[in-house]
Amino acid sequence: MTTRPPRKSRSKKSDSKTLEEVYYGIPVSPGFVIGKAFKLDSDVSSEIPNYSISPKQVPLEIARFEAALTKTRKQIKEIQNKIAVAMGTEHAEIFNAHLLVIEDRVLIEEVIKNVQEKLVNVEIIFIEVSNKYAQIFDKIDDEYLRERSSDIKDVSRRIIQNLMGKESKDLSQLDSEVIVVSYDIAPSETATMHKEKVAGFATDIGSRTSHTAIMARTLEIPAVVGLHDVSKKIKSDATIIVDGNRGLVIVNPSKKTLERYGKEKTRLDVYEEELAQLRDLPAETQDGYRIKIAANIEMAEDVPSVISHGAEEIGLYRTEFFYMNRRDLPTEDEHYEAYFTVAKKMYPKPVVIRTLDIGGDKFISQLDVPQDMNPFLGWRAIRFCLAQPEIFKVQLRAILRASALGNLKMMYPMISGIGEIRHANRLLEEVKQDCIKHGISFDKSMEVGAMIEVPSAAITADLLAKEVDFFSIGTNDLIQYSMAVDRVNEKIAYLYKPTHPAVLRLIRSIVDAGHKHNIWVGVCGEMASEPALALLLMGLGVDELSCSSVAIPELKKVFRSMRYTDIENLLNIVMEMNDPDEIHYTAQKLVNEYVPTLMHF
Ligand code: PEP
Ligand code: MG
């Protein structure tokens, strides 16, 4: 998790007439890819033409408008069909509201009337009318109706693009392999994208722990984030290299650069082959110290990658994505199907399901969660679930039903104190009693844990340990909260230091508190995926590391090359240091001494 202050881009002459340009960002998903840029942000508002027309041209303008509406309707239907096939009809229904906008005769008639009266081109009239409608909905004091405003804006964008003959950009519509270049990629967009066609990501904002970064690692595609304004600088269809190992995006690469990457590809293929041999071997040091290595997943479809990378279990199953891109809430049966499928595919290996963790950088429109002023400090995760017991209990009941198989565990996110654990456990108990009453079987000894990611929970871990069966330290949040550094803000990413002595001390005290009360302690934040940091976590006594599947083979390679005594020595040295960078450097140096050939980090 290398953090560094932003660096300026540089450019030099490439062999063709174009200039090779290099942009520096934050490497968040390993590997590199060479391909065509696909710009997701297709904001055409600044390019909308504005011209007068003669009365004779009015029918032509109206015909253009009707054609754009027909084309837009066809595009939306196509997206709907694709999403229905990929994710189910309930996810596709979200677009019904978009179709209603296109069929809204009041809006259409008003546009036509204004074109006839004002004698200006239809793009300008249409944008005026649709903005007026969107604003009306924006002001309504009803969440559902306010949502119509974003439907109108979304559809209007498509209609304007079609009027202007611009290609409409949508991640579910890709027909050739591309590298997505964007300001950011929303969770709802990643959930609908055509995964085989997206070969890499390059985004303006973000950090190693932002949603886009986590998603890229889950998809196993190279990604660089925090590139500032790269999406404004790169043109669609430009040839680019996204180097997720070094954190570079190279635009119009020269012949020499392409040759260099060609050679690296050969080396990388050999390396991956070598790593694959470690798949079924444990993460055990030369002197016999073993640590469990688990994987993080976002969806049931991620399980094959967990298995192919040799994870011993799933240490974090994020369940938020299940709630995205739909108008209604997932039913208990839908939850159950997903959890049971994952549990069955992994059986008898354990799977830790995390209960709903919305908020922060993961918003779900139908849950009526307002965007707080400080989303990461707001109404998120367990706070939301405890306030909405009817929504929470549906998930709890589905988890319990799926637990009958015997290999499920569950944990609560964002616990800040004992009251929340007790409250959540009370609700769990009510659901258990209801299951017993209805003869529904479940695993009565299913472990229930707490994520430790809020400083107040970390500092009182000794009190919380008595209430749960395990701790899972969410370092992504724990670091941002303890250092007051927003985890998705690329401008301050250089301050986000997993090796800050405050963070290491907190982790040590959580581990000690857990062990004192005989519960196991894992880490499921991204800190677990970087070898140098994973060594520190191992030295701090963590029992399990759970990270992106792609990171697992390299972790095994490092641990299997070392002795535990070296890791203990490392800890003795770094816990006396005061400079986060020096601590990071010292841990990295030890990794390099044993495994100088790491290619991902
Ligand atoms: C964390 O905070 O470390 C964590 C694993 O949870 P998330 O990244 O989903 O907030
Ligand atoms: Mg978290």
Side-chain angles (χ1 to χ4, degrees):
M1 197 178 297
T2 324
T3 51
R4 50 180 104 150
R7 280 167 70 187
K8 286 224 165 63
S9 58
R10 64 173 172 77
S11 47
K12 62 177 183 193
K13 262 246 158 38
S14 81
D15 300 315
S16 60
K17 300 249 158 47
T18 48
L19 276 186
E20 172 177 300
E21 285 166 19
V22 182
Y23 298 93
Y24 298 90
I26 303 165
V28 294
S29 186
F32 67 86
V33 60
I34 304 173
K36 293 274 175 219
F38 175 89
K39 286 185 50 173
L40 186 58
D41 303 321
S42 39
D43 181 9
V44 288
S45 52
S46 58
E47 304 163 29
I48 295 175
N50 183 357
Y51 53 88
S52 304
I53 56 167
S54 67
K56 263 208 231 138
Q57 285 173 301
V58 168
L60 202 67
E61 277 311 275
I62 295 171
R64 273 202 318 122
F65 182 46
E66 301 277 1
L69 292 176
T70 309
K71 190 169 176 190
T72 310
R73 187 181 301 112
K74 193 164 159 262
Q75 286 166 342
I76 293 174
K77 285 265 182 208
E78 278 168 13
I79 299 173
Q80 243 186 344
N81 289 342
K82 282 185 187 166
I83 291 179
V85 172
M87 305 176 72
T89 45
E90 68 281 9
H91 291 270
E93 276 166 14
I94 198 161
F95 288 97
N96 284 346
H98 291 201
L99 289 172
L100 285 180
V101 176
I102 300 178
E103 278 147 25
D104 186 335
R105 284 318 300 177
V106 180
L107 187 146
I108 295 171
E109 296 302 336
E110 187 168 341
V111 172
I112 294 175
K113 191 167 139 263
N114 283 0
V115 170
Q116 288 162 336
E117 285 173 1
K118 295 186 179 171
L119 294 175
V120 285
N121 62 308
V122 68
E123 286 92 343
I124 282 293
I125 300 287
F126 176 71
I127 209 73
E128 268 172 22
V129 176
S130 66
N131 279 348
K132 187 182 89 183
Y133 277 72
Q135 276 165 15
I136 293 171
F137 281 105
D138 256 341
K139 289 191 188 119
I140 297 177
D141 190 19
D142 174 296
E143 179 69 15
Y144 183 78
L145 289 175
R146 264 204 313 275
E147 276 278 311
R148 301 287 70 70
S149 161
S150 48
D151 290 332
I152 295 174
K153 285 179 198 152
D154 206 344
V155 177
S156 302
R157 182 179 51 82
R158 281 183 201 280
I159 295 172
I160 286 286
Q161 278 169 344
N162 286 329
L163 276 170
M164 291 169 66
K166 298 256 178 194
E167 217 183 303
S168 165
K169 310 281 179 74
D170 195 300
L171 285 179
S172 66
Q173 290 181 311
L174 297 172
D175 47 21
S176 59
E177 205 177 82
V178 294
I179 299 172
V180 175
V181 178
S182 179
Y183 175 72
D184 190 19
I185 304 170
S188 54
E189 279 166 332
T190 48
T192 59
M193 81 187 170
H194 198 321
K195 300 196 168 93
E196 294 79 46
K197 298 285 192 269
V198 177
F201 286 163
T203 63
D204 293 355
I205 66 159
S207 68
R208 252 195 89 73
T209 62
S210 57
H211 160 76
T212 312
I214 292 171
M215 198 62 178
R217 285 194 291 277
T218 305
L219 295 172
E220 299 179 42
I221 56 173
V224 180
V225 304
L227 287 150
H228 305 281
D229 53 356
V230 82
S231 69
K232 292 208 184 79
K233 299 204 167 130
I234 297 179
K235 292 201 169 63
S236 262
D237 285 332
T239 300
I240 63 172
I241 299 176
V242 169
D243 182 341
N245 297 333
R246 300 181 184 87
L248 306 178
V249 171
I250 305 172
V251 186
N252 303 322
S254 66
K255 206 166 142 220
K256 221 162 132 196
T257 303
L258 288 170
E259 273 169 15
R260 188 157 42 79
Y261 274 93
K263 284 190 192 136
E264 188 159 328
K265 170 94 179 75
T266 316
R267 281 205 309 276
L268 206 58
D269 288 346
V270 174
Y271 182 65
E272 298 292 351
E273 208 32 55
E274 195 192 309
L275 287 181
Q277 311 299 320
L278 304 175
R279 197 181 85 161
D280 300 318
L281 299 175
E284 185 172 333
T285 59
Q286 300 272 323
D287 47 357
Y289 187 97
R290 217 171 140 163
I291 188 162
K292 257 203 211 112
I293 307 268
N296 296 349
I297 65 163
E298 334 260 38
M299 298 176 197
E301 291 78 37
D302 302 335
V303 176
S305 164
V306 170
I307 295 168
S308 69
H309 286 94
E312 293 171 80
E313 51 181 85
I314 290 174
L316 166 63
Y317 177 1
R318 291 183 168 96
T319 56
E320 300 68 77
F321 295 93
F322 209 44
Y323 292 77
M324 284 173 185
N325 290 326
R326 49 190 300 161
R327 287 258 179 262
D328 53 353
L329 291 165
T331 63
E332 183 187 315
D333 281 344
E334 287 175 76
H335 277 287
Y336 168 76
E337 281 298 323
Y339 306 153
F340 184 76
T341 306
V342 172
K344 190 133 185 274
K345 282 192 184 153
M346 289 300 291
Y347 190 82
K349 293 176 176 153
V351 175
V352 181
I353 300 184
R354 175 178 74 185
T355 60
L356 179 60
D357 182 9
I358 39 141
D361 65 343
K362 292 170 284 205
F363 283 100
I364 301 169
S365 55
Q366 86 277 20
L367 286 182
D368 205 7
V369 181
Q371 296 224 358
D372 288 320
M373 195 91 126
N374 293 306
F376 278 111
L377 301 181
W379 199 41
R380 62 171 289 207
I382 196 71
R383 302 165 182 189
F384 171 84
C385 288
L386 295 178
Q388 304 272 343
E390 293 320 313
I391 294 177
F392 191 33
K393 278 176 160 183
V394 171
Q395 186 178 33
L396 293 178
R397 206 172 140 103
I399 295 174
L400 282 173
R401 280 171 61 196
S403 76
L405 209 57
N407 59 335
L408 282 192
K409 305 176 190 190
M410 60 169 259
M411 61 184 180
Y412 308 124
M414 277 285 289
I415 290 295
S416 65
I418 209 152
E420 285 161 337
I421 297 182
R422 288 185 176 157
H423 188 169
N425 277 341
R426 265 200 314 277
L427 294 176
L428 181 64
E429 191 50 40
E430 281 172 29
V431 182
K432 280 184 181 174
Q433 290 310 321
D434 192 56
C435 286
I436 292 169
K437 201 168 111 198
H438 290 90
I440 295 168
S441 49
F442 60 90
D443 177 6
K444 297 206 169 53
S445 53
M446 177 178 70
E447 290 185 23
V448 178
M451 284 194 73
I452 305 294
E453 42 189 355
V454 177
S456 59
I459 293 163
T460 56
D462 56 325
L463 305 176
L464 306 188
K466 296 177 198 151
E467 308 283 321
V468 288
D469 300 309
F470 65 93
F471 282 156
S472 185
I473 307 177
T475 49
N476 301 342
D477 280 319
L478 184 63
I479 297 168
Q480 78 160 345
Y481 294 135
S482 53
M483 301 183 62
V485 178
D486 182 341
R487 67 190 251 191
V488 295
N489 186 335
E490 82 289 353
K491 294 188 194 71
I492 47 170
Y494 70 100
L495 285 174
Y496 189 94
K497 303 274 186 200
T499 48
H500 194 292
V503 174
L504 299 182
R505 285 181 196 191
L506 276 180
I507 295 174
R508 168 162 274 175
S509 76
I510 301 165
V511 174
D512 290 349
H515 289 174
K516 202 166 136 219
H517 290 89
N518 299 317
I519 64 170
W520 64 270
V521 183
V523 168
C524 65
E526 291 306 316
M527 196 176 165
S529 64
E530 184 179 328
L533 304 178
L535 281 192
L536 296 174
L537 294 173
M538 193 185 204
L540 289 167
V542 167
D543 304 294
E544 175 184 294
L545 299 176
S546 191
C547 58
S548 318
S549 299
V550 273
I552 293 175
E554 245 181 14
L555 285 182
K556 286 192 180 178
K557 186 174 166 73
V558 171
F559 288 136
R560 292 182 62 80
S561 313
M562 315 210 46
R563 279 179 316 216
Y564 188 62
T565 47
D566 294 323
I567 299 172
E568 279 180 317
N569 287 341
L570 170 72
L571 259 288
N572 288 338
I573 296 167
V574 300
M575 291 310 270
E576 295 299 317
M577 290 178 169
N578 53 20
D579 177 357
D581 294 334
E582 197 184 352
I583 296 174
H584 202 159
Y585 174 79
T586 310
Q588 188 61 51
K589 199 158 143 256
L590 185 64
V591 173
N592 295 348
E593 272 168 28
Y594 279 94
V595 198
T597 53
L598 284 188
M599 291 188 81
H600 295 166
F601 279 100

